[in-house]
Short mmCIF file of all heavy atoms in Angstrom, two decimals:
data_model
loop_
_atom_site.label_atom_id
_atom_site.label_comp_id
_atom_site.label_asym_id
_atom_site.label_seq_id
_atom_site.Cartn_x
_atom_site.Cartn_y
_atom_site.Cartn_z
N LYS A 1 -23.65 -12.29 0.98
CA LYS A 1 -22.91 -13.36 0.58
C LYS A 1 -22.42 -13.10 -0.89
O LYS A 1 -22.95 -13.65 -1.76
CB LYS A 1 -23.68 -14.69 0.74
CG LYS A 1 -24.10 -15.04 2.08
CD LYS A 1 -24.82 -16.37 2.20
CE LYS A 1 -25.12 -16.73 3.63
NZ LYS A 1 -25.84 -18.00 3.79
N ASN A 2 -21.40 -12.23 -0.90
CA ASN A 2 -21.01 -11.77 -2.25
C ASN A 2 -19.55 -12.28 -2.67
O ASN A 2 -18.94 -11.69 -3.51
CB ASN A 2 -20.96 -10.33 -2.31
CG ASN A 2 -20.08 -9.58 -1.33
OD1 ASN A 2 -19.44 -10.22 -0.56
ND2 ASN A 2 -20.19 -8.30 -1.27
N ALA A 3 -19.15 -13.28 -1.97
CA ALA A 3 -17.95 -14.19 -2.55
C ALA A 3 -16.64 -13.57 -2.17
O ALA A 3 -15.77 -14.29 -1.73
CB ALA A 3 -18.07 -14.50 -3.97
N LEU A 4 -16.49 -12.26 -2.38
CA LEU A 4 -15.10 -11.66 -2.24
C LEU A 4 -15.12 -10.21 -1.56
O LEU A 4 -16.13 -9.59 -1.65
CB LEU A 4 -14.38 -11.50 -3.55
CG LEU A 4 -13.94 -12.80 -4.23
CD1 LEU A 4 -14.82 -13.08 -5.49
CD2 LEU A 4 -12.54 -12.64 -4.70
N HIS A 5 -14.07 -10.04 -0.89
CA HIS A 5 -13.69 -8.59 -0.39
C HIS A 5 -12.48 -8.12 -1.07
O HIS A 5 -11.52 -8.86 -1.36
CB HIS A 5 -13.46 -8.64 1.19
CG HIS A 5 -12.96 -7.46 1.54
ND1 HIS A 5 -13.57 -6.32 1.95
CD2 HIS A 5 -11.54 -7.20 1.84
CE1 HIS A 5 -12.86 -5.38 2.33
NE2 HIS A 5 -11.60 -5.80 2.29
N GLY A 6 -12.49 -6.97 -1.44
CA GLY A 6 -11.25 -6.19 -1.99
C GLY A 6 -11.12 -4.88 -1.33
O GLY A 6 -12.11 -4.20 -1.05
N SER A 7 -9.88 -4.50 -1.02
CA SER A 7 -9.52 -3.25 -0.44
C SER A 7 -10.13 -2.13 -1.17
O SER A 7 -9.96 -2.05 -2.47
CB SER A 7 -8.09 -3.03 -0.20
OG SER A 7 -7.54 -4.00 0.54
N GLU A 8 -10.71 -1.13 -0.44
CA GLU A 8 -11.30 -0.05 -1.11
C GLU A 8 -10.40 1.16 -1.55
O GLU A 8 -10.61 1.94 -2.45
CB GLU A 8 -12.40 0.66 -0.30
CG GLU A 8 -13.68 -0.13 -0.20
CD GLU A 8 -14.39 -0.01 -1.54
OE1 GLU A 8 -14.43 1.08 -2.16
OE2 GLU A 8 -14.95 -1.10 -2.06
N SER A 9 -9.31 1.18 -0.74
CA SER A 9 -8.34 2.29 -0.98
C SER A 9 -6.89 1.96 -0.58
O SER A 9 -6.70 0.86 -0.07
CB SER A 9 -8.74 3.56 -0.16
OG SER A 9 -8.61 3.24 1.17
N TYR A 10 -5.97 2.81 -0.89
CA TYR A 10 -4.63 2.56 -0.37
C TYR A 10 -4.53 2.35 1.16
O TYR A 10 -3.95 1.39 1.56
CB TYR A 10 -3.76 3.77 -0.83
CG TYR A 10 -2.39 3.79 -0.04
CD1 TYR A 10 -1.37 2.95 -0.47
CD2 TYR A 10 -2.13 4.70 0.94
CE1 TYR A 10 -0.24 3.09 0.36
CE2 TYR A 10 -1.00 4.81 1.60
CZ TYR A 10 -0.05 3.99 1.21
OH TYR A 10 1.25 3.99 1.94
N HIS A 11 -5.12 3.24 1.87
CA HIS A 11 -4.96 3.10 3.28
C HIS A 11 -5.62 1.88 3.87
O HIS A 11 -5.17 1.28 4.76
CB HIS A 11 -5.58 4.48 3.89
CG HIS A 11 -4.82 5.66 3.68
ND1 HIS A 11 -3.52 5.87 4.12
CD2 HIS A 11 -5.09 6.76 2.86
CE1 HIS A 11 -3.09 7.00 3.69
NE2 HIS A 11 -3.95 7.62 2.98
N ALA A 12 -6.75 1.55 3.23
CA ALA A 12 -7.46 0.33 3.64
C ALA A 12 -6.62 -0.90 3.36
O ALA A 12 -6.53 -1.90 4.13
CB ALA A 12 -8.90 0.26 2.84
N ALA A 13 -6.01 -0.93 2.13
CA ALA A 13 -5.07 -2.01 1.78
C ALA A 13 -3.91 -2.12 2.75
O ALA A 13 -3.58 -3.27 3.20
CB ALA A 13 -4.57 -1.81 0.40
N VAL A 14 -3.34 -1.07 3.25
CA VAL A 14 -2.21 -1.09 4.13
C VAL A 14 -2.77 -1.71 5.43
O VAL A 14 -2.04 -2.66 6.03
CB VAL A 14 -1.72 0.31 4.38
CG1 VAL A 14 -0.66 0.23 5.57
CG2 VAL A 14 -0.97 0.86 3.21
N ARG A 15 -3.82 -1.23 5.98
CA ARG A 15 -4.40 -1.74 7.22
C ARG A 15 -4.80 -3.23 7.06
O ARG A 15 -4.45 -4.04 8.04
CB ARG A 15 -5.60 -0.87 7.67
CG ARG A 15 -6.20 -1.26 9.05
CD ARG A 15 -7.43 -0.51 9.40
NE ARG A 15 -8.56 -0.89 8.53
CZ ARG A 15 -9.33 -1.97 8.85
NH1 ARG A 15 -9.11 -2.77 9.93
NH2 ARG A 15 -10.32 -2.33 8.09
N GLU A 16 -5.48 -3.60 6.00
CA GLU A 16 -6.05 -4.90 5.94
C GLU A 16 -4.98 -5.98 5.71
O GLU A 16 -5.02 -7.06 6.21
CB GLU A 16 -7.05 -4.92 4.76
CG GLU A 16 -8.30 -4.14 5.12
CD GLU A 16 -9.26 -4.02 3.91
OE1 GLU A 16 -8.89 -4.53 2.84
OE2 GLU A 16 -10.40 -3.50 4.11
N ILE A 17 -3.97 -5.67 4.95
CA ILE A 17 -2.80 -6.52 4.77
C ILE A 17 -2.11 -6.83 6.06
O ILE A 17 -1.68 -7.91 6.42
CB ILE A 17 -1.85 -6.07 3.69
CG1 ILE A 17 -2.53 -6.09 2.30
CG2 ILE A 17 -0.51 -6.85 3.52
CD1 ILE A 17 -1.68 -5.35 1.21
N LYS A 18 -1.91 -5.69 6.79
CA LYS A 18 -1.27 -5.83 8.12
C LYS A 18 -2.07 -6.69 9.09
O LYS A 18 -1.58 -7.44 9.91
CB LYS A 18 -0.94 -4.45 8.68
CG LYS A 18 -0.18 -4.42 10.02
CD LYS A 18 1.29 -5.04 9.66
CE LYS A 18 2.13 -4.99 10.99
NZ LYS A 18 3.43 -5.60 10.88
N PHE A 19 -3.42 -6.47 9.02
CA PHE A 19 -4.23 -7.20 9.80
C PHE A 19 -4.22 -8.69 9.61
O PHE A 19 -4.15 -9.47 10.56
CB PHE A 19 -5.68 -6.74 9.77
CG PHE A 19 -6.66 -7.30 10.64
CD1 PHE A 19 -7.05 -6.69 11.91
CD2 PHE A 19 -7.38 -8.41 10.41
CE1 PHE A 19 -7.90 -7.16 12.78
CE2 PHE A 19 -8.26 -8.95 11.27
CZ PHE A 19 -8.54 -8.39 12.50
N LEU A 20 -4.32 -9.11 8.32
CA LEU A 20 -4.43 -10.55 8.05
C LEU A 20 -3.07 -11.17 7.81
O LEU A 20 -2.94 -12.49 7.91
CB LEU A 20 -5.23 -10.71 6.83
CG LEU A 20 -6.82 -10.42 6.95
CD1 LEU A 20 -7.44 -10.52 5.70
CD2 LEU A 20 -7.35 -11.42 8.03
N PHE A 21 -2.03 -10.45 7.69
CA PHE A 21 -0.65 -10.93 7.60
C PHE A 21 0.25 -10.23 8.67
O PHE A 21 1.16 -9.48 8.22
CB PHE A 21 -0.07 -10.80 6.23
CG PHE A 21 -0.82 -11.50 5.14
CD1 PHE A 21 -1.92 -11.03 4.46
CD2 PHE A 21 -0.53 -12.87 4.91
CE1 PHE A 21 -2.56 -11.80 3.46
CE2 PHE A 21 -1.32 -13.66 4.01
CZ PHE A 21 -2.28 -13.12 3.31
N PRO A 22 0.03 -10.36 9.88
CA PRO A 22 0.70 -9.52 10.93
C PRO A 22 2.21 -9.81 11.05
O PRO A 22 2.96 -9.05 11.42
CB PRO A 22 0.02 -9.85 12.21
CG PRO A 22 -0.62 -11.27 11.94
CD PRO A 22 -0.97 -11.23 10.55
N ASN A 23 2.64 -11.04 10.61
CA ASN A 23 4.04 -11.42 10.68
C ASN A 23 4.75 -11.20 9.46
O ASN A 23 6.03 -11.61 9.36
CB ASN A 23 4.20 -12.94 11.15
CG ASN A 23 3.54 -13.09 12.53
OD1 ASN A 23 3.66 -12.34 13.41
ND2 ASN A 23 2.89 -14.26 12.69
N SER A 24 4.25 -10.56 8.46
CA SER A 24 4.80 -10.26 7.18
C SER A 24 5.90 -9.37 7.34
O SER A 24 5.85 -8.36 8.12
CB SER A 24 3.79 -9.73 6.25
OG SER A 24 4.37 -9.37 5.06
N LEU A 25 7.04 -9.66 6.67
CA LEU A 25 8.19 -8.77 6.64
C LEU A 25 8.10 -7.76 5.49
O LEU A 25 9.11 -6.88 5.33
CB LEU A 25 9.43 -9.58 6.53
CG LEU A 25 9.72 -10.51 7.67
CD1 LEU A 25 11.04 -11.35 7.42
CD2 LEU A 25 9.83 -9.86 9.01
N THR A 26 7.10 -7.79 4.75
CA THR A 26 6.97 -6.90 3.63
C THR A 26 6.93 -5.41 4.15
O THR A 26 5.98 -5.12 4.97
CB THR A 26 5.78 -7.21 2.68
OG1 THR A 26 5.87 -8.62 2.33
CG2 THR A 26 5.69 -6.39 1.48
N GLU A 27 7.63 -4.56 3.61
CA GLU A 27 7.55 -3.14 3.97
C GLU A 27 6.24 -2.57 3.43
O GLU A 27 5.84 -2.91 2.36
CB GLU A 27 8.69 -2.39 3.32
CG GLU A 27 10.11 -2.75 3.81
CD GLU A 27 10.22 -2.18 5.39
OE1 GLU A 27 9.63 -1.25 5.67
OE2 GLU A 27 11.03 -2.84 6.05
N PRO A 28 5.69 -1.67 4.24
CA PRO A 28 4.40 -1.00 3.79
C PRO A 28 4.77 -0.18 2.46
O PRO A 28 5.72 0.48 2.41
CB PRO A 28 4.02 -0.04 4.84
CG PRO A 28 4.69 -0.61 6.08
CD PRO A 28 5.93 -1.29 5.50
N PHE A 29 3.97 -0.30 1.42
CA PHE A 29 4.31 0.39 0.25
C PHE A 29 3.94 1.85 0.33
O PHE A 29 3.00 2.26 0.94
CB PHE A 29 3.57 -0.22 -1.00
CG PHE A 29 2.04 -0.36 -0.86
CD1 PHE A 29 1.21 0.63 -1.22
CD2 PHE A 29 1.64 -1.62 -0.38
CE1 PHE A 29 -0.19 0.45 -1.10
CE2 PHE A 29 0.18 -1.84 -0.25
CZ PHE A 29 -0.61 -0.76 -0.52
N ALA A 30 4.75 2.63 -0.30
CA ALA A 30 4.63 4.09 -0.23
C ALA A 30 3.78 4.69 -1.31
O ALA A 30 3.62 3.98 -2.25
CB ALA A 30 6.07 4.83 -0.24
N PRO A 31 3.16 5.82 -1.07
CA PRO A 31 2.35 6.44 -2.17
C PRO A 31 3.32 6.81 -3.35
O PRO A 31 4.51 7.03 -3.18
CB PRO A 31 1.80 7.68 -1.49
CG PRO A 31 1.95 7.48 -0.06
CD PRO A 31 3.06 6.52 0.21
N LYS A 32 2.75 6.78 -4.51
CA LYS A 32 3.52 6.91 -5.73
C LYS A 32 4.06 8.47 -5.93
O LYS A 32 5.09 8.48 -6.64
CB LYS A 32 2.76 6.44 -6.93
CG LYS A 32 1.55 7.30 -7.29
CD LYS A 32 0.75 6.64 -8.42
CE LYS A 32 -0.51 7.32 -8.77
NZ LYS A 32 -1.21 6.73 -9.80
N GLU A 33 3.42 9.30 -5.31
CA GLU A 33 3.81 10.75 -5.53
C GLU A 33 5.34 11.02 -5.35
O GLU A 33 5.95 11.65 -6.04
CB GLU A 33 2.88 11.70 -4.83
CG GLU A 33 1.46 11.92 -5.34
CD GLU A 33 0.65 10.65 -4.92
OE1 GLU A 33 1.16 9.82 -4.15
OE2 GLU A 33 -0.45 10.49 -5.50
N PRO A 34 5.85 10.58 -4.17
CA PRO A 34 7.20 10.97 -3.93
C PRO A 34 8.13 10.24 -4.95
O PRO A 34 9.17 10.76 -5.26
CB PRO A 34 7.45 10.25 -2.44
CG PRO A 34 6.18 10.30 -1.87
CD PRO A 34 5.18 9.96 -2.94
N HIS A 35 7.79 9.15 -5.40
CA HIS A 35 8.60 8.35 -6.42
C HIS A 35 8.54 9.16 -7.65
O HIS A 35 9.60 9.30 -8.38
CB HIS A 35 8.08 7.01 -6.62
CG HIS A 35 8.13 6.10 -5.47
ND1 HIS A 35 9.44 5.57 -4.95
CD2 HIS A 35 7.25 5.70 -4.54
CE1 HIS A 35 9.08 4.82 -3.88
NE2 HIS A 35 7.79 4.94 -3.56
N GLN A 36 7.42 9.75 -8.05
CA GLN A 36 7.22 10.39 -9.24
C GLN A 36 8.11 11.75 -9.19
O GLN A 36 8.88 12.09 -10.11
CB GLN A 36 5.75 10.86 -9.53
CG GLN A 36 4.90 9.74 -9.91
CD GLN A 36 3.51 10.26 -10.11
OE1 GLN A 36 2.86 10.80 -9.16
NE2 GLN A 36 2.87 9.86 -11.19
N GLU A 37 8.18 12.36 -8.08
CA GLU A 37 8.88 13.53 -7.87
C GLU A 37 10.44 13.23 -7.98
O GLU A 37 11.07 14.00 -8.62
CB GLU A 37 8.53 14.15 -6.46
CG GLU A 37 9.35 15.49 -6.16
CD GLU A 37 9.13 16.60 -7.10
OE1 GLU A 37 8.09 16.63 -7.80
OE2 GLU A 37 9.98 17.38 -7.34
N TYR A 38 10.90 12.20 -7.36
CA TYR A 38 12.23 11.87 -7.38
C TYR A 38 12.74 11.54 -8.82
O TYR A 38 13.77 11.89 -9.30
CB TYR A 38 12.53 10.73 -6.50
CG TYR A 38 13.89 10.13 -6.50
CD1 TYR A 38 14.89 10.81 -5.84
CD2 TYR A 38 14.29 9.06 -7.32
CE1 TYR A 38 16.22 10.42 -5.82
CE2 TYR A 38 15.58 8.64 -7.29
CZ TYR A 38 16.55 9.31 -6.61
OH TYR A 38 17.94 8.90 -6.66
N LEU A 39 11.83 10.74 -9.49
CA LEU A 39 12.23 10.48 -10.93
C LEU A 39 12.36 11.70 -11.79
O LEU A 39 13.29 11.87 -12.53
CB LEU A 39 11.15 9.57 -11.46
CG LEU A 39 11.16 8.02 -10.96
CD1 LEU A 39 9.94 7.21 -11.50
CD2 LEU A 39 12.42 7.36 -11.40
N LYS A 40 11.39 12.63 -11.62
CA LYS A 40 11.39 13.84 -12.37
C LYS A 40 12.53 14.76 -12.11
O LYS A 40 13.18 15.32 -12.90
CB LYS A 40 10.10 14.64 -12.24
CG LYS A 40 8.86 13.94 -12.81
CD LYS A 40 7.56 14.77 -12.54
CE LYS A 40 6.35 14.09 -13.06
NZ LYS A 40 5.14 14.91 -12.82
N ARG A 41 12.92 14.76 -10.78
CA ARG A 41 13.94 15.70 -10.35
C ARG A 41 15.33 15.14 -10.50
O ARG A 41 16.36 15.92 -10.86
CB ARG A 41 13.73 15.93 -8.85
CG ARG A 41 14.77 16.94 -8.16
CD ARG A 41 14.23 17.39 -6.81
NE ARG A 41 13.84 16.29 -6.02
CZ ARG A 41 14.66 15.51 -5.26
NH1 ARG A 41 15.96 15.79 -5.21
NH2 ARG A 41 14.20 14.53 -4.48
N CYS A 42 15.61 13.84 -10.31
CA CYS A 42 16.90 13.20 -10.30
C CYS A 42 17.19 12.32 -11.45
O CYS A 42 18.15 12.33 -12.21
CB CYS A 42 17.17 12.55 -9.03
SG CYS A 42 17.09 13.57 -7.58
N VAL A 43 16.30 11.42 -11.72
CA VAL A 43 16.44 10.27 -12.64
C VAL A 43 16.39 10.81 -14.02
O VAL A 43 17.41 10.59 -14.90
CB VAL A 43 15.67 9.02 -12.31
CG1 VAL A 43 16.01 7.97 -13.46
CG2 VAL A 43 15.88 8.62 -11.01
#
C-alpha cells in the first residue's frame, strides 16, 4: 500500500497509458532519437 504507481520506462508508459485510456486519440509518442537526428541534419 504505497499510494502511487508510476511508469518504469518508455515502453511501460506506452502500454499503461493505452491500457487505462483505450479510447484516447493521442498518438503514441516517439522516441527522441529520431527527432534529434532530424534536427541535427535538417533544422
Side-chain angles (χ1 to χ4, degrees):
K1 297 182 178 182
N2 59 4
L4 288 107
H5 165 85
S7 299
E8 281 293 319
S9 65
Y10 161 75
H11 294 291
V14 171
R15 184 186 72 82
E16 292 171 356
I17 291 171
K18 185 65 176 176
F19 186 92
L20 289 176
F21 296 94
N23 297 321
S24 172
L25 297 177
T26 305
E27 293 288 334
F29 50 90
K32 64 186 180 183
E33 287 77 10
H35 299 284
Q36 288 178 309
E37 177 60 28
Y38 177 78
L39 289 172
K40 290 179 182 178
R41 180 168 49 86
C42 298
V43 178

